[in-house]
């Protein structure tokens, strides 16, 4: 009858263990010296250091084209307040950007307020805006 093919026999290695080889007995572990006992405190102490303190940011932006509204919206959704100056944008582009930012502010629970003739403040939900600058704009520019 044909002998079963074995890869180890093919390469000249034999699966049979050498009978002369014996494992060394496992070393006996010595008992560790007793550590000095300390009083055990059941209270847990937790460090209150944060890697980054929670600070609020206010960014100032001057968009030049409509596509700049996307970067302003990213700041608002990240939790930053943004002051937007529309002095370098024509009126139709400024209106489109204000509409876009108004939707962004609404989406994050924030608000947008006019604080100057061509300046708006976009604040997310974590900012509280108080005062009414828009009511005083008419009297300020007529003097």
């Amino acid at each position: 009858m044909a002998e079963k093919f074995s890869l180890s026999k093919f390469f000249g290695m034999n699966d049979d263990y050498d009978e002369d080889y014996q494992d060394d007995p496992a070393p006996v572990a010595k008992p560790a010296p007793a550590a000095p006992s300390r009083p055990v405190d059941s209270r847990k102490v937790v460090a209150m250091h944060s890697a980054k303190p929670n600070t609020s940011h206010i960014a100032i932006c001057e968009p030049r084209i409509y596509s700049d509204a996307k970067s302003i919206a990213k700041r608002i959704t990240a939790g930053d307040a943004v002051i937007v100056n529309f002095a370098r944008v024509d009126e139709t582009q400024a209106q489109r950007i204000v509409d876009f930012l108004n939707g962004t502010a609404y989406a994050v629970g924030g608000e947008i307020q006019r604080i100057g003739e061509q300046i708006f403040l976009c604040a997310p939900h974590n900012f509280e805006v108080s005062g009414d600058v828009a009511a005083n704009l008419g009297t300020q520019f007529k003097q």
Side-chain angles (χ1 to χ4, degrees):
M1 197 166 194
E3 190 174 330
K4 185 176 176 184
F5 176 77
S6 172
L7 192 60
S8 60
K9 287 182 182 178
F10 180 76
F11 286 108
M13 298 185 302
N14 193 357
D15 290 336
D16 298 334
Y17 292 107
D18 195 9
E19 293 177 8
D20 295 335
Y21 177 76
Q22 292 181 357
D23 288 335
D24 291 334
V28 178
K30 296 178 183 177
S37 62
R38 299 188 310 193
V40 178
D41 189 3
S42 63
R43 296 178 293 167
K44 294 186 178 186
V45 179
V46 179
M48 297 300 291
H49 301 289
S50 64
K52 181 179 176 185
N54 293 336
T55 57
S56 301
H57 294 98
I58 299 176
I60 300 173
C61 297
E62 263 187 332
R64 292 187 173 90
I65 56 176
Y66 178 73
S67 63
D68 292 341
K70 185 177 179 181
S71 64
I72 298 170
K74 282 184 181 180
R75 289 179 183 243
I76 296 169
T77 57
D80 295 342
V82 182
I83 296 174
V84 186
N85 184 0
F86 291 104
R88 296 186 179 195
V89 178
D90 66 352
E91 189 175 334
T92 57
Q93 291 290 321
Q95 183 60 45
R96 289 181 64 201
I97 294 171
V98 168
D99 290 343
F100 182 79
L101 295 178
N102 195 17
T104 303
Y106 179 78
V108 296
E111 61 181 311
I112 184 169
Q113 286 189 356
R114 186 177 196 157
I115 59 173
E117 188 174 341
Q118 295 180 340
I119 301 172
F120 286 80
L121 171 65
C122 304
H125 66 90
N126 58 342
F127 278 82
E128 181 180 338
V129 181
S130 61
D132 191 16
V133 178
N136 298 330
L137 282 179
T139 59
Q140 179 184 6
F141 291 112
K142 290 181 182 177
Q143 292 177 355

